[in-house]
Amino acid sequence: MVKHRIGRVEQEIQKEVNDILLKRVRDPRVQGVTVTGVEMTGDLQQATIYYSILSEKASDVEKTQDGLDKAKGLIRRELGQKLTLYKVPELEFKQDQSVRYGEKIDKLIAKLHQDEANR
């Protein structure tokens, strides 16, 4: 029962944060950010929001992280208006490494196919 509720809240937060980033946050540093997942603590007090961006440049990742950290207050306020939670969780943004890992695997597979074709 509790796990199910946490999962629902995580999905709701993911949907709303994507929406807020798209419509409410004006900071150019967070343009093109996609929320890929949300992990909440069992007491719903803390939400880790995983995101991906198209660029892999470290400077872009850093700028995006700064932009998200700066927008945290606005995002929390907006969430407070949209969610029916007793207390809006603290937010932490982390870059989703799995997306980049997946892209790396895709490139390796493509290279293998290319090598096979060249034999």
Side-chain angles (χ1 to χ4, degrees), residues 25-108:
V25 180
R26 298 273 177 253
D27 192 329
R29 294 176 294 185
V30 300
Q31 279 177 347
V33 167
T34 303
V35 175
T36 56
V38 175
E39 256 176 35
M40 297 204 65
T41 53
D43 59 5
L44 302 177
Q45 297 293 298
Q46 193 85 33
T48 303
I49 299 171
Y50 294 94
Y51 68 89
S52 69
I53 57 171
L54 292 175
S55 171
E56 287 191 20
K57 289 199 319 215
S59 59
D60 290 343
V61 172
E62 209 173 295
K63 279 183 201 150
T64 301
Q65 185 69 50
D66 289 346
L68 288 168
D69 288 341
K70 190 168 180 285
K72 220 181 267 187
L74 168 74
I75 294 168
R76 258 191 99 201
R77 269 195 311 280
E78 292 283 322
L79 277 176
Q81 292 166 9
K82 293 170 189 270
L83 299 177
T84 52
L85 285 178
Y86 172 68
K87 182 179 183 289
V88 180
E90 292 295 326
L91 306 179
E92 182 186 2
F93 287 94
K94 281 190 179 169
Q95 188 188 16
D96 186 343
Q97 299 298 332
S98 67
V99 173
R100 286 170 62 193
Y101 180 73
E103 287 168 357
K104 187 175 179 185
I105 298 291
D106 288 345
K107 283 178 188 163
L108 288 171

Side-chain angles (χ1 to χ4, degrees), residues 4-20:
H4 178 69
R5 172 166 157 74
I6 292 171
R8 271 205 332 258
V9 174
E10 287 171 343
Q11 284 179 331
E12 191 69 18
I13 287 177
Q14 181 173 345
K15 185 175 89 58
E16 293 298 348
V17 172
N18 265 323
D19 200 50
I20 292 165

